[in-house]
Each structure stands twice: as structure tokens, then as C-alpha cells.
């Protein structure tokens, strides 16, 4: 039985929504964020249990994925990236946001801000909010707490590699 891969349909929808919003002079970070997510999904092979995966390599959080071509790709997020993204989240003062806003606020590549947000989501410090890809900081979120979680991740990874 043949299945339909919706990744390119999603990419077309996101690009069309952005083009329409731009034509109406109403484009926002939400449309750009949707487009970045759709591009990432279209470029990568469909997610599996092993891809994408996140792990610390030294003091850096790495995101490893497999492209649709079969080639491997990796992106890095370090403590400075986490710190800047966390401060940008703190500056939202409880309002919802999207990854694209954080990337712009911190002058980071979208994928770096995305890795930081995914890490913070796994720690329970950021959660999905309502519609689309909106996010919100968990109650009581602080940048210091985010940085501490990153440091704990680094320490655990260092301990794991020393124990091998």
C-alpha cells in the first residue's frame, strides 16, 4: 500500500500562507516560523526513533539528523545560545512566542533557537501554547533555571562519557 508523504504539502501550505500574508503586508514571525519548520521537515528524512536525536558532545548540545538524501547533518547549541534564548523568553513576560522571534531577538540562526527551545521543552521549562507553533514559558520560568538545566545536561553527559 502506498502512503502519501505530506511534508511537501505542508511546505507548500506554509510558503503559500507566507506569500499571502506578505502580499497583504500582514506577515509575522508566525508565518516565517511555520515556513522554517516546514523546510526542516521537508529536508530531513521522516523522523525515526534515532533521528533526529539530541546529545551533548563536550559542552555543546548537538542535534543530529538524517537528510532525505541519506546524508547526516548536525547543528550545535552552546551555553551562550541557551542563555540568550532563555533571556529572550524571560523578556516575553509570560506572553506566547514562536522560535522565529527568539532567533531574531538573539541574533541566532533559527535552527539554533529551535534546538534551545526543544531542550527547554524537554526540561519542562517551555510548553506548546494553543494554536500553530506558539510556545509559552512554564510558570515561574527563569533564565537562570534554564542555564542550570543546561549545565546539568552537560555534567550528566560528561559523567556518562567518563564511565564508558
Amino acid at each position: 500500500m502506498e502512503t502519501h508523504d505530506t511534508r511537501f504539502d505542508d511546505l507548500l501550505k506554509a510558503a503559500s500562507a507566507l506569500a499571502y500574508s506578505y502580499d497583504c503586508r500582514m506577515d509575522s514571525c508566525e508565518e516565517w516560523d511555520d515556513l522554517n519548520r516546514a523546510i526542516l521537515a521537508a529536508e530531513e528524512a521522516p523522523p525515526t526513533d534515532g533521528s533526529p536525536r539530541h546529545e551533548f558532545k563536550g559542552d555543546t548540545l548537538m542535534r543530529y539528523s538524517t537528510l532525505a538524501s541519506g546524508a547526516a547533518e548536525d547543528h550545535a547549541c552552546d551555553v551562550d545560545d541557551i542563555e540568550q534564548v532563555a533571556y529572550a523568553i524571560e523578556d516575553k513576560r509570560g506572553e506566547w512566542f514562536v522560535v522565529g522571534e527568539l532567533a531574531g531577538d538573539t541574533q541566532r540562526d533559527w535552527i539554533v533557537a529551535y534546538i534551545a527551545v526543544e531542550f527547554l521543552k524537554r526540561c519542562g521549562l517551555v510548553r506548546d501554547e494553543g494554536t500553530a507553533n506558539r510556545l509559552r514559558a512554564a510558570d515561574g520560568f527563569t533564565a537562570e533555571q534554564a542555564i542550570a538545566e543546561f549545565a546539568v545536561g552537560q555534567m550528566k553527559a560528561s559523567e556518562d562519557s567518563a564511565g564508558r
Side-chain angles (χ1 to χ4, degrees), residues 72-93:
E73 181 173 67
D74 60 69
H75 295 280
C77 176
D78 63 23
V79 69
D80 187 52
D81 298 322
I82 286 286
E83 180 180 5
Q84 294 307 307
V85 167
Y87 284 129
I89 292 170
E90 207 171 56
D91 287 345
K92 300 296 180 195
R93 293 174 177 47

Side-chain angles (χ1 to χ4, degrees), residues 1-117:
M1 176 178 209
E2 192 173 313
T3 59
H4 180 72
D5 186 349
T6 62
R7 294 176 302 149
F8 291 102
D9 295 340
D10 293 342
L11 179 58
L12 180 59
K13 280 192 252 179
S16 295
L18 178 60
Y20 176 77
S21 296
Y22 179 79
D23 287 344
C24 296
R25 291 174 180 42
M26 297 183 331
D27 61 310
S28 71
C29 281
E30 282 186 273
E31 288 87 16
W32 286 102
D33 196 67
D34 289 345
L35 182 60
N36 275 314
R37 287 171 184 271
I39 289 169
L40 183 65
E43 287 178 339
E44 292 182 344
T48 64
D49 288 342
S51 179
R53 76 179 200 284
H54 297 80
E55 67 182 57
F56 281 93
K57 184 176 181 182
D59 289 341
T60 305
L61 178 61
M62 301 296 297
R63 181 184 191 272
Y64 298 102
S65 61
T66 304
L67 299 178
S69 68
E73 181 173 67
D74 60 69
H75 295 280
C77 176
D78 63 23
V79 69
D80 187 52
D81 298 322
I82 286 286
E83 180 180 5
Q84 294 307 307
V85 167
Y87 284 129
I89 292 170
E90 207 171 56
D91 287 345
K92 300 296 180 195
R93 293 174 177 47
E95 297 296 318
W96 64 265
F97 55 89
V98 294
V99 172
E101 288 176 295
L102 301 176
D105 292 349
T106 62
Q107 299 179 356
R108 298 299 192 271
D109 289 339
W110 183 87
I111 189 73
V112 173
Y114 179 72
I115 295 167
V117 166

